[in-house]
Structures are given as structure tokens and as C-alpha cells.
Amino acid sequence: MPLSYSTPKDLSLSDLAARETVVHIDGLSKWYGNFQVLHGIDLSVKKGERIVLCGPSGSGKSTLIRCIGHLEVAEKGVIRTLGADLAKPCAARRQALQEVGMVFQNFNLFPHMSVLQNCTLAPMSVRGLSRQQAGDQARHYLNKVGVDNQADKYPSQLSGGQQQRVAIARALCMEPKVMLFDEPTSALDPEMVNEVLEVIVNLADTGMTLLCVTHEMGFARQVAERVLFLDAGRIIEDLPPAKFFTAPTSDRARAFLAQIRH
């Protein structure tokens, strides 16, 4: 069954400018040994924006997302999340990073913990919630992603789609202001992709700020407010989806889309 997407509203420049900036990146560069994977990335993300990052494998999409989540440290440039400079260890940085949730390709659930325990661990240890508070909150978000009836099971007892929905619920249990998705459907069987995308669509409809690395171009076309196309560690295109999919400005993006269509 096809997904029922909500189409993003067309925003005027004044509407967009009025939004709070939640992530600001200036001149970000990242190396792995002698290989430079990101080249001087500049990016500003407004509160509530739906941004999809796409491009060929090895273009730097996942690295950029991981830098925003502070899972990778860039050697050059500045990332400010909710006003905090991620390069400066301080209370403001710790607080900002608690407001960023991330969902990975491979779920990364703790196999020895139940679904409920996976979802209550961080709120109890980081946010200081009681077991009762964390449990109530976890059940709320498990219900939100449609797996509340799996709370007492272990990850190995769930399908891939169910595990990824639990991973999304776990991230939501920290009640983040920004959600990062790194190819959340790439490890799933094809029939499970839609169920996870539907959860992300519903999350986008709540006004959550989303940055999602994906190869699902139908999802990008219908859900994103902006599409970032990366190639060789640079942002080549930063366009509304209607323009990106019909009239990209670069030859590289046109070639990429031609391969996708065929």
C-alpha cells in the first residue's frame, strides 16, 4: 500500500527567515587519514524544517549527519546546535546534544534489554526520570510508532521494521528538538520500508526538525522542504524538492537522477 504523505507547505522567504535557527554549520571539513570526506560545508537549519540529504555512496552524507550528532568530530569549521558550539566542552554543549536524537541504519538496540528497557535507559540515566516516569513515557512513544504491544520482547524477537520503529521510539523518549536519520531503511527488507517511512512521515507532521539521509526518492519528493544533494563531500544542490527533481542546476545531480529513474 502506498504511503499517504503530507505535502510540505510552500514557505515564503520571510516565513523561513522568521524561524529559529537550530543548527548552523560554517566551513565544516572532515578527514579520515589523508582522505578529505567533507569540504567546507555551510548549512543552516531552521526549526521544523524537513531536510533530506541524498547523493551517491561515499559523498559524505552520513559523515555530515554524524558530525551534527557529534558522533564524528570535524577537524575544521564550526557546528552550532541550539546555540552551542559543539567544539567547546561545556554544560551548554551537553544540554544541546541531549536535544538531538539519532536513528541509525542498523537499529543499535541493546540485545540483552527488552524493548521497554531500551527506551527507558537514557531518560533515567541522562534526564533523571524515575522508572515510572520513564516507563510511562516509553509506552507513549512506543504506541506512537505502533509497537506498544512489543514492550516486553527482546530485539531478537522483532522484525527489522519493528526494531527500527523501536529505535525511533527510543530516540523520541529523550524528547529531542532535532532528529537525525542515517539511511533508516537501508537495512530493511523491501516490504518493511514503508512501515518505517510512515513513522517518519507522521513525525514530520508534528513539526519536528528532521534531517534524513535516504535513497528513497519518493519520500524525499513528497516530505522534504529542502533536498541537499552531496557529491565528493560538497553540497552541490540545496533546493525545494519540486525544483530539485525537475530542474536541478548541476550536471552531476541530473546524472544522479537519471540513474535513479532508470
Side-chain angles (χ1 to χ4, degrees), residues 72-85:
E72 299 279 358
V73 178
E75 289 80 6
K76 184 178 179 182
V78 175
I79 302 177
R80 292 188 179 275
T81 299
L82 301 170
D85 186 342

Side-chain angles (χ1 to χ4, degrees), residues 1 23 28-29 31 42 59 97 120 178 212 227-228 232:
M1 181 178 296
V23 177
L28 191 71
S29 294
W31 284 261
D42 296 323
S59 59
L97 289 174
T120 58
V178 179
C212 183
V227 176
L228 306 184

Side-chain angles (χ1 to χ4, degrees), residues 24-239:
H24 181 76
I25 300 174
D26 185 22
L28 191 71
S29 294
K30 170 70 180 172
W31 284 261
Y32 292 128
N34 294 324
F35 176 68
Q36 187 171 358
V37 64
L38 295 177
H39 296 259
I41 298 290
D42 296 323
L43 178 63
S44 185
V45 180
K46 297 289 188 176
K47 182 179 179 180
E49 275 197 287
R50 309 170 173 186
I51 297 178
V52 164
L53 295 83
C54 64
S57 297
S59 59
K61 308 180 298 297
S62 292
T63 300
L64 177 55
I65 285 282
R66 291 175 67 85
C67 285
I68 294 172
H70 205 57
L71 298 176
E72 299 279 358
V73 178
E75 289 80 6
K76 184 178 179 182
V78 175
I79 302 177
R80 292 188 179 275
T81 299
L82 301 170
D85 186 342
L86 297 191
K88 298 179 179 179
C90 62
R93 184 183 78 172
R94 289 194 297 273
Q95 180 62 40
L97 289 174
Q98 290 179 22
E99 305 294 347
V100 179
M102 187 158 184
V103 177
F104 304 89
Q105 300 179 34
N106 294 314
F107 324 139
N108 290 354
L109 299 174
F110 294 112
H112 63 290
M113 291 184 176
S114 70
V115 164
L116 189 64
Q117 289 170 331
N118 266 278
C119 292
T120 58
L121 179 63
M124 291 171 61
S125 60
V126 178
R127 296 282 197 196
L129 271 61
S130 69
R131 187 174 300 277
Q132 181 66 48
Q133 289 171 321
D136 290 345
Q137 182 172 270
R139 291 185 186 280
H140 167 74
Y141 285 113
L142 289 169
N143 179 65
K144 197 175 184 69
V145 301
V147 288
D148 50 308
N149 60 340
Q150 310 294 331
D152 296 324
K153 292 185 178 179
Y154 287 83
S156 62
Q157 297 174 291
L158 305 180
S159 69
Q162 289 172 326
Q163 289 187 62
Q164 192 62 295
R165 283 187 280 165
V166 170
I168 294 171
R170 179 180 62 178
L172 291 175
C173 282
M174 287 295 287
E175 301 198 317
K177 295 180 179 177
V178 179
M179 281 286 287
L180 309 175
F181 293 89
D182 185 10
E183 299 192 28
T185 61
S186 66
L188 300 178
D189 292 333
E191 63 269 21
M192 297 178 182
V193 169
N194 272 8
E195 69 179 63
V196 171
L197 290 181
E198 189 71 65
V199 170
I200 301 174
V201 169
N202 293 336
L203 184 58
D205 286 342
T206 69
M208 175 73 75
T209 305
L210 301 177
L211 290 92
C212 183
V213 175
T214 185
H215 292 291
E216 300 292 336
M217 291 297 98
F219 172 83
R221 184 189 293 269
Q222 297 295 332
V223 176
E225 289 176 337
R226 293 164 64 189
V227 176
L228 306 184
F229 175 77
L230 280 76
D231 186 51
R234 295 179 172 85
I235 296 176
I236 305 298
E237 305 273 3
D238 182 353
L239 296 170

